[in-house]
Amino acid sequence: MKSLILGTAALAFSAGLALAQDVVRLGTEGAYPPYNFINDNGQVDGFERELGDELCIRAALNCVWVTNDWDSIIPNLVSGNYDVIIAGMSITDERKQVVDFAQEYTPPSVSAYVGLAEDADIEGGVVAAQTGTIQANHVVDTGATLLEFANPEDTIAAVRKGEADAALADKDFLSPYVAEGDLVFVGEDVQLGGGIGAAFRKSDPELRDKFDAAIQSMKDDGTLNELIAKWLGAESPLF
């Protein structure tokens, strides 16, 4: 999934904060459906909202949701603005330099290209991707021209406006746009990154362990697979 490019300030910052409050703040982007989005009532919704609420129940924690832009989501965790990131974040070696992860709560998912036609140039053309993601890194590696946007929905708009030949993102995210009829998947699916996990400050191992145990309990009783199928689709990989 997403792979945030960490700034040197975040790499250098070490939070010596222990969890000392009754309320655990869950940070998410709120702009990456079906994983997380803001519904018509102005509330965080989606797969990760339902998942996070259930994890807090199982861990006996009182939790609230906080939204934060993707490009600063790790630095604001480290600086103490919230306590957990649940935001479609792939577990990567780069991130592990700064934060700790509980075990993954989704298996690795595939990325895909979309364009206005099946012959869209994804190798030598312009490909849109969200800034700071493993998809953006992959576009650079392929030699295509990368067009970056802070918001994932803007990558779709760029294709529709003819500003980009294609967009690359998680297939789960792209499928609803393809279903609208004007976009098609281009080329083969691309396997990028590992599973998605919740991120914690390195100074909060006790909180991480509580979430880890709750995730494992959802795997053991099958409820995590039920949530994945409900929100991410019947074709999504399961545990």
Side-chain angles (χ1 to χ4, degrees), residues 68-80:
N68 192 95
D69 290 342
W70 175 253
D71 59 1
S72 61
I73 202 164
I74 284 183
N76 279 318
L77 169 72
V78 175
S79 63

Side-chain angles (χ1 to χ4, degrees), residues 81 86 108 207:
N81 290 338
I86 303 182
L207 181 61

